[in-house]
Amino acid sequence: MSTILLKNGRLIDPSQQIDRVTSVLLKDGVVASIDAGDASADHEIDVTGKIIAPGLIDMHVQLREPGWEEDEAIASGAASAIAGGFTSIACLPNTEPPLDTPAGIEYVRHQANRADKCNVYVIACVSSGRKGEQLSEIGTLVEAGAVGFSDASKPISNPELLRRALEYTQMFDKPVLNRPELVELTHNGVMHDGMVSLVLGLAPLPVEAEEVMAARDICLAEATGGRLHLMSVSCSGTIEILRRAKVRDVGVTAEIHPCNFSLTDEALRSFNPNCKVNPPLRSADHLEACIAALADGTIDVISSGHAPRASEKKMHEMTDAPFGMVSLETTLGLTSTKLVQPGHLTWSQAIEKLSTTPARILGIPKGTLAVGADADVTVIDPELNWTVDPANYLSRSSNCPLSGWELTGKAVHVIVGGVVKM
């Protein structure tokens, strides 16, 4: 395998608390040395003015294969991840059939290996068939390679099932990922419950649906000692519940999607179905609370929430169109533009939430550029201005309302296992 020297870049590695200009040598698929300015290599890349970061990791991606290939395939999703700067992704089990068997996990891994793009990890079903009734075969799925357990977009409504999942997964040190939503409060809802929904006459998704479920989930995590990861938080009330739980050292982490710190419910006035996401775009006060929670560490992770849906599915009225937005290729740009450039986060904080912390939660040997670590690297140009154009996405879907947005900050080189992918 060839050697690669990344010369004169700003190495930001939160796992080692490094932030300085230096050079990094990659050899035989691992990080051979840092401060390697005098080293010779088969391939040298001048990254002056760029950021050398541990490969970005997205722990919330819908790949839709098998079953929904009209939305996304494993190969196209992995290619989209590389374009967005991600070297590793964890895919959710909302496929058809759901990923609740070792054979299902093996299928995803096989297709990912064939695609030969980024690393693809599998988050398997908490419940058999995602029906929320019986626990899946947790131990067998761990042996097959599952790195976490979730029913994806279906919240775990049964508290006894969640309690047992939190207890059982402790045997394998795996997290349970749950989307906090009390479905009895969101039935037929379309958008955030507020003045805009009242004016537009669209059915509401109240914040209480998220807050009540988050409180229940945290209570069960505290009682069992299990590892809970709250997916897709969006409300100020949820953040206050999280903040108090962290003071008590409850084993809970949380993530947010870029749309929930970049857009408000005002975007729904366009009646663009691509603005229909779940959790919904909230009002400005919730958005500000989320940004503050990112800054103070209450929210641990930024994940794309990539939810591709074929154009024909989105070409309906708001009430009938499915939820979802593609975002693998804009997550880094939105993080830079909406969080780093205004000074809410430093680059080190952003990279920690996009790489180091997801690796720690999933228990995968990534998220660091320590000597001997896998040579997964994302090189970021923090000053690169670019325009969002969904027509150029590598994803199979283009359901994104950001067409024409001007963003600053983009991945310019992506290296996976010592191989240049972009």
Side-chain angles (χ1 to χ4, degrees):
M1 186 174 287
S2 64
T3 53
I4 301 171
L5 182 63
L6 300 172
K7 294 186 64 175
N8 303 320
R10 179 185 171 191
L11 172 62
I12 301 180
D13 183 355
S15 76
Q16 305 181 81
Q17 297 185 326
I18 293 176
D19 185 348
R20 66 173 183 268
V21 174
T22 186
S23 300
V24 177
L25 180 66
L26 311 176
K27 183 179 180 181
D28 297 332
V30 300
V31 179
S33 63
I34 58 176
D35 300 324
D38 297 330
S40 60
D42 302 322
H43 186 34
E44 293 189 359
I45 303 175
D46 185 354
V47 291
T48 302
K50 313 293 192 301
I51 294 170
I52 304 171
L56 305 186
I57 300 167
D58 191 343
M59 59 184 295
H60 186 136
V61 176
Q62 298 183 27
L63 288 180
R64 307 294 282 166
E65 181 185 0
W68 308 102
E69 287 86 349
E70 68 275 21
D71 299 332
E72 192 73 283
I74 293 168
S76 61
S80 180
I82 291 291
F86 292 97
T87 58
S88 297
I89 58 176
C91 66
L92 297 178
N94 56 337
T95 54
E96 186 55 45
L99 300 176
D100 62 354
T101 65
I105 294 175
E106 180 56 33
Y107 175 82
V108 173
R109 297 176 71 174
H110 176 70
Q111 292 296 82
N113 287 336
R114 285 186 61 191
D116 193 24
K117 300 293 183 184
C118 65
N119 304 298
V120 178
Y121 295 92
V122 176
I123 295 172
C125 294
V126 166
S127 67
S128 180
R130 296 176 65 223
K131 295 179 180 176
E133 297 170 354
Q134 292 185 329
L135 272 185
S136 57
E137 297 288 341
I138 300 286
T140 303
L141 293 170
V142 170
E143 288 180 4
V147 297
F149 293 89
S150 174
D151 277 349
S153 54
K154 278 189 176 178
I156 306 171
S157 296
N158 184 334
E160 173 61 10
L161 184 77
L162 178 60
R163 186 184 67 81
R164 287 193 286 122
L166 287 165
E167 289 175 340
Y168 198 50
T169 51
Q170 289 180 66
M171 295 173 57
F172 310 98
D173 194 24
K174 300 297 180 188
V176 175
L177 294 74
N178 193 30
R179 193 158 69 82
E181 178 187 342
L182 197 62
V183 295
E184 290 82 358
L185 290 178
T186 58
H187 185 63
N188 291 330
V190 173
M191 65 174 293
H192 172 66
D193 185 9
M195 183 57 68
V196 180
S197 67
L198 188 65
V199 170
L200 300 182
L202 294 174
L205 293 162
V207 294
E208 292 81 9
E210 181 178 305
E211 295 166 357
V212 171
M213 187 70 112
R216 184 210 68 169
D217 290 0
I218 289 172
C219 181
L220 291 172
E222 189 168 19
T224 60
R227 291 175 54 200
L228 171 69
H229 180 74
L230 291 180
M231 308 163 75
S232 319
V233 301
S234 64
C235 303
S236 59
T238 305
I239 288 163
E240 284 307 311
I241 294 166
L242 261 172
R243 201 169 270 138
R244 291 196 294 271
K246 292 198 169 195
V247 170
R248 302 195 304 275
D249 284 332
V250 179
V252 59
T253 53
E255 68 180 31
I256 190 172
H257 306 318
C259 61
N260 290 114
F261 61 71
S262 303
L263 290 161
T264 70
D265 56 348
E266 292 288 338
L268 274 296
R269 292 184 186 274
S270 66
F271 285 95
N272 181 349
N274 291 330
C275 294
K276 183 181 177 183
V277 292
N278 195 10
L281 305 178
R282 302 288 185 187
S283 52
D285 54 332
H286 290 285
L287 183 146
E288 291 167 4
C290 288
I291 291 175
L294 280 161
D296 70 15
T298 303
I299 296 177
D300 308 86
V301 169
I302 298 170
S303 61
S304 72
H306 185 69
R309 296 294 182 272
S311 298
E312 59 270 24
K313 295 180 180 177
K314 278 287 192 178
M315 292 175 65
H316 292 282
E317 294 184 357
M318 291 289 288
T319 51
D320 298 324
F323 292 103
M325 180 189 300
V326 289
S327 46
L328 273 168
E329 296 176 49
T330 52
T331 292
L332 177 59
L334 287 170
T335 300
S336 172
T337 304
K338 296 295 184 179
L339 299 178
V340 178
Q341 301 289 338
H344 300 303
L345 295 184
T346 64
W347 268 112
S348 181
Q349 288 174 308
I351 291 166
E352 186 172 26
K353 294 176 191 299
L354 286 163
S355 178
T356 310
T357 302
R360 175 175 56 79
I361 294 171
L362 296 175
I364 59 176
K366 304 290 183 182
T368 179
L369 291 178
V371 173
D374 291 346
D376 290 358
V377 186
T378 302
V379 177
I380 302 165
D381 185 341
E383 304 298 330
L384 180 63
N385 298 313
W386 60 287
T387 304
V388 178
D389 183 359
N392 293 328
Y393 282 177
L394 297 184
S395 170
R396 192 167 281 185
S397 292
S398 57
N399 50 302
C400 172
L402 307 180
S403 181
W405 276 40
E406 300 289 333
L407 301 181
T408 300
K410 198 175 194 306
V412 291
H413 300 289
V414 179
I415 299 169
V416 181
V419 177
V420 178
K421 300 293 184 178
M422 184 178 82

